[in-house]
Amino acid sequence: MTLPAEKQVSLLSTRFEPLLLRHPANPVLTSKDWPYPINSVFNAGATLLADGTTLLLCRVEDRRGLSHLCAARSRNGIDGWQIDSEPTLMPNPKHYPEEIWGIEDPRITFVPELQQYVITYTSYSRGGPGVSLALTNDFRTFERYGVIMPPDDKDTALLPRRIDGYWALIHRPMTALGSHVWISYSPDLRHWGRHRLMLEARRGAWWDANKIGLSPPPIETSRGWLVFYHGVRHTPSGCLYRLGLALFDLEKPEKCLLRGDSWIFGPEAEYERHGDVDDVVFPCGYTMDADGDTINLYYGAADCAIALARASVRSLLEWLDANGSCERRQRAQDL
Ligand code: BMA
């Protein structure tokens, strides 16, 4: 089959398009920076505090293989990290048995209505990974809500405001239909319903076939919710984690407006290609610069380090306009 001329041009022109630029200081945090003994640090949630400090809530894996969360703060988001001298949020299996095998991969959403940061994270239970939620306003004390989505479910983030009066949570349940991205609604952050399929993993040879998941929390733009998602490609030598881009309707976020066909970021640098788990880039958070356009994307690299890549929201939207389509939306709604 021959692609139409305009499609060929778009594939060629996007092949090396530097949509996400790796920071020269990468990786910005590794286990060597840690004030206490750990195995590895990766997959960090990110936010800007009121005074402009960048806060990363890092997934830290200890030498038993279990994860907890630890906060690192920096004035410029690149170096000079002040890391909590002990774990910031430990699994608490006595009161929250679902955390018995650790807590992982936090996403942070600041919610103006609550004047609190809402953290959603994976709680690794005997029944598999589920979703837990906690609130904080200082990343020192936390109010835990416990499990909000039962196993198997992960890769979640809360939207920062209500949609039609309801909180909206993006998550990735594993169902008989595959590992797709769903959205659910709640009046109180505790009771969740009105589940809708939001983005479907493709099939066959695609880079995002069979298993996808939300990466950082969606970015609200005037055109819609801009979503980075990861696609997992199973190969004979292991999994390949790469990033794709999609845009969703602001007031009906389950409605996909545009989805790119090719991945926009994948493991290339040495620290992304080799680590405890090779060939993984896994962002869980971003911060926005004062210009309202530049995002700083923090990503776990090979389950061993935290790295930083920068992008322009305007360029990401332009790329989607040139390379995205909404043809799969109908199919997603059919499932
Ligand atoms: C996913 C998650 C991530 C991890 C990735 C690669 O399933 O568990 O925390 O970074 O696998 O190991």
Side-chain angles (χ1 to χ4, degrees):
M1 189 185 87
T2 314
L3 288 170
E6 68 279 10
K7 198 74 179 171
Q8 288 176 20
V9 169
S10 105
L11 282 175
L12 286 175
S13 65
T14 55
R15 184 152 177 217
F16 299 111
E17 196 170 349
L19 276 177
L20 281 155
L21 290 179
R22 289 172 178 82
H23 197 281
N26 276 350
V28 293
L29 282 168
T30 72
S31 60
K32 292 194 185 71
D33 300 305
W34 239 250
Y36 55 91
I38 64 170
N39 172 56
S40 53
V41 54
F42 51 112
N43 303 0
T47 194
L48 281 183
L49 301 177
D51 68 356
T53 300
T54 297
L55 179 137
L56 298 185
L57 192 60
C58 309
R59 171 177 173 188
V60 171
E61 192 183 281
D62 65 25
R63 288 172 65 98
R64 299 172 301 167
L66 308 190
S67 293
H68 61 267
L69 308 182
C70 186
R73 295 169 172 84
S74 159
R75 294 297 312 165
N76 63 8
I78 300 164
D79 52 24
W81 295 97
Q82 302 282 320
I83 301 167
D84 282 359
S85 57
E86 50 189 49
T88 309
L89 190 64
M90 277 295 276
N92 181 356
K94 192 167 165 219
H95 295 109
Y96 299 91
E98 66 276 7
E99 298 182 359
I100 186 154
W101 289 332
I103 56 178
E104 308 177 349
D105 301 355
R107 274 79 165 183
I108 302 169
T109 302
F110 180 72
V111 179
E113 181 186 325
L114 304 174
Q115 283 298 300
Q116 299 233 66
Y117 300 91
V118 173
I119 305 162
T120 50
Y121 56 94
T122 302
S123 39
Y124 199 165
S125 75
R126 284 185 197 279
V131 177
S132 293
L133 183 146
L135 276 73
T136 186
N137 48 33
D138 57 6
F139 292 91
R140 299 190 197 280
T141 57
F142 300 85
E143 185 188 355
R144 274 167 149 106
Y145 276 29
V147 181
I148 56 164
M149 290 289 167
D152 271 358
D153 205 331
K154 53 164 66 173
D155 297 331
T156 52
L158 184 77
L159 295 189
R161 58 178 174 82
R162 296 175 193 254
I163 306 288
D164 269 345
Y166 289 87
W167 300 112
L169 184 87
I170 301 175
H171 57 120
R172 202 285 307 279
M174 307 258 272
T175 71
L177 293 172
S179 299
H180 309 300
V181 176
W182 290 68
I183 188 164
S184 304
Y185 294 89
S186 168
D188 58 5
L189 297 177
R190 290 184 191 273
H191 303 87
W192 294 90
R194 197 146 63 82
H195 314 292
R196 298 276 184 276
L197 185 59
M198 188 175 174
L199 193 69
E200 193 188 354
R202 285 181 260 220
R203 290 167 202 246
W206 281 88
W207 70 273
D208 55 354
N210 306 318
K211 188 173 174 183
I212 59 172
L214 178 74
S215 284
I219 301 165
E220 187 166 8
T221 76
S222 57
R223 306 247 334 256
W225 299 101
L226 185 60
V227 166
F228 288 99
Y229 69 96
H230 56 265
V232 187
R233 174 98 183 253
H234 292 265
T235 80
S237 59
C239 291
L240 271 167
Y241 279 76
R242 301 187 181 109
L243 282 188
L245 206 56
L247 187 70
F248 296 85
D249 189 275
L250 277 180
E251 300 311 323
K252 199 169 186 265
E254 56 265 36
K255 183 174 165 192
C256 183
L257 304 175
L258 287 171
R259 178 184 192 172
D261 276 347
S262 52
W263 70 83
I264 57 160
F265 193 69
E268 287 173 21
E270 168 63 25
Y271 51 87
E272 300 160 353
R273 297 232 45 213
H274 301 296
D276 277 3
V277 182
D278 289 351
D279 291 315
V280 179
V281 290
F282 202 94
C284 290
Y286 71 90
T287 60
M288 177 73 76
D289 280 359
D291 64 8
D293 183 57
T294 309
I295 55 158
N296 305 291
L297 192 70
Y298 292 92
Y299 61 101
D303 283 12
C304 258
I306 296 172
L308 167 62
R310 289 195 159 132
S312 146
V313 169
R314 185 180 35 77
S315 307
L316 294 168
L317 289 170
E318 281 170 10
W319 181 87
L320 265 182
D321 281 332
N323 299 280
S325 64
C326 58
E327 67 191 276
R328 281 169 197 83
R329 192 180 64 206
Q330 278 316 116
R331 264 193 44 206
Q333 286 173 348
D334 289 339
L335 285 177

